[in-house]
Amino acid sequence: MAFLRYQFELFCLALSFFSRLPVPANTPYSSERMNQSGRYFALVGALLGGLCALFYTLAAQFVPFQVAIFLMIAFSLLLTGAFHEDGLTDMADGIGGGMTVEKRLTIMKDSRIGTYGSATLTMALLGKFVFLTTLARQADFVLILIVAYALSRAVAASLIYDMPYVSDADQSKSKPLASAQSSFDLAVLLFCGVMAALTLGMAKGLLLLLVAALFRIGFKRWLMARLGGFTGDCLGAAQQLMELGIYLVLIAMIHNG
């Protein structure tokens, strides 16, 4: 029981970090626990995806499905506080506007949004609306949402395992995550992501896992070349890009039979 209670507390920490959902006020906190909670980021994603799917299902009973998709995206932003979208925007501004690693990191810490960030955020939200509208008529749409939310977070959080943290850890909101990820935490994280993907069936699941692996390799190399490591914003960007990639792959599969 003590083990299960500890795991539940870690899950609550992960939920409180990545969403605006309430958790028990007496949940113990420490930097070590926060770091270990990374093992449940994919599980948190599955929960958020399930809530969004439930919201869409209810909304679609009263308004056209395109409107329900729009409302669901807004609901998702409220659930997470646009946490990952903020990371994507900051990373786009930093890497797009900086000519050196130091300048890129400085721009990424700036709370103001520039042209690169605005354009990237607009395209990401627009792409999400178009992709989800296309997928909404699929019988397994609810599963698609859960898989996309879970697998994208598994990929993003796995970057902590074998990449250096290049931001100022003492001033970063991601400081508890900057420490090295243990092999056990990585295994739990990836297990949740893999199991989520396979719920769509063997063919779709394996293809999504292959795409996820290729994205992780490419994104990691890209970050190493431009920043020499990762920041919290990079993890948010990885989640958003991977989520969009999952939708795009599934649309391509449907379109090509």
Side-chain angles (χ1 to χ4, degrees), residues 9-214:
E9 290 169 353
L10 293 183
F11 174 79
C12 287
L13 285 178
L15 187 63
S16 67
F17 189 82
F18 278 116
S19 79
R20 298 296 177 88
L21 293 175
V23 299
N26 62 348
T27 301
Y29 175 88
S30 69
S31 295
E32 180 182 3
R33 281 174 174 252
M34 190 69 243
N35 181 262
Q36 292 176 345
S37 73
R39 69 184 65 166
Y40 292 122
F41 287 170
L43 200 57
V44 168
L47 173 60
L48 297 177
L51 290 175
C52 287
L54 176 61
F55 181 92
Y56 169 78
T57 302
L58 294 175
Q61 306 301 312
F62 303 98
V63 296
F65 80 96
Q66 299 97 327
V67 178
I69 290 293
F70 174 83
L71 294 175
M72 185 194 72
I73 293 174
F75 176 70
S76 178
L77 292 172
L78 291 174
L79 275 181
T80 63
F83 188 69
H84 307 296
E85 288 81 3
D86 177 65
L88 176 65
T89 303
D90 287 342
M91 191 195 75
D93 271 334
I95 294 183
M99 300 304 293
T100 65
V101 171
E102 292 74 18
K103 184 63 175 177
R104 289 165 185 160
L105 291 174
T106 299
I107 294 174
M108 288 167 68
K109 294 177 184 177
D110 194 332
S111 60
R112 293 170 295 182
I113 299 178
T115 302
Y116 293 103
S118 298
T120 301
L121 180 60
T122 300
M123 291 301 294
L125 291 176
L126 178 60
K128 198 172 294 186
F129 176 77
V130 172
F131 293 167
L132 289 175
T133 301
T134 305
L135 291 168
R137 295 302 192 184
Q138 298 300 307
D140 55 357
F141 182 60
V142 168
L143 276 180
I144 288 173
L145 288 172
I146 295 173
V147 169
Y149 274 60
L151 182 57
S152 61
R153 283 162 175 77
V155 172
S158 73
L159 294 170
I160 302 172
Y161 181 72
D162 56 356
M163 289 186 70
Y165 189 75
V166 294
S167 186
D168 184 356
D170 292 330
Q171 299 181 13
S172 172
K173 61 186 177 183
S174 299
K175 178 182 177 180
L177 303 178
S179 304
Q181 190 178 57
S182 72
S183 297
F184 179 74
D185 291 338
L186 178 67
V188 174
L189 176 71
L190 294 182
F191 176 80
C192 293
V194 169
M195 290 298 101
L198 293 179
T199 60
L200 285 175
M202 191 62 66
K204 289 181 180 178
L206 290 179
L207 180 58
L208 288 180
L209 291 175
L210 174 60
V211 171
L214 293 175

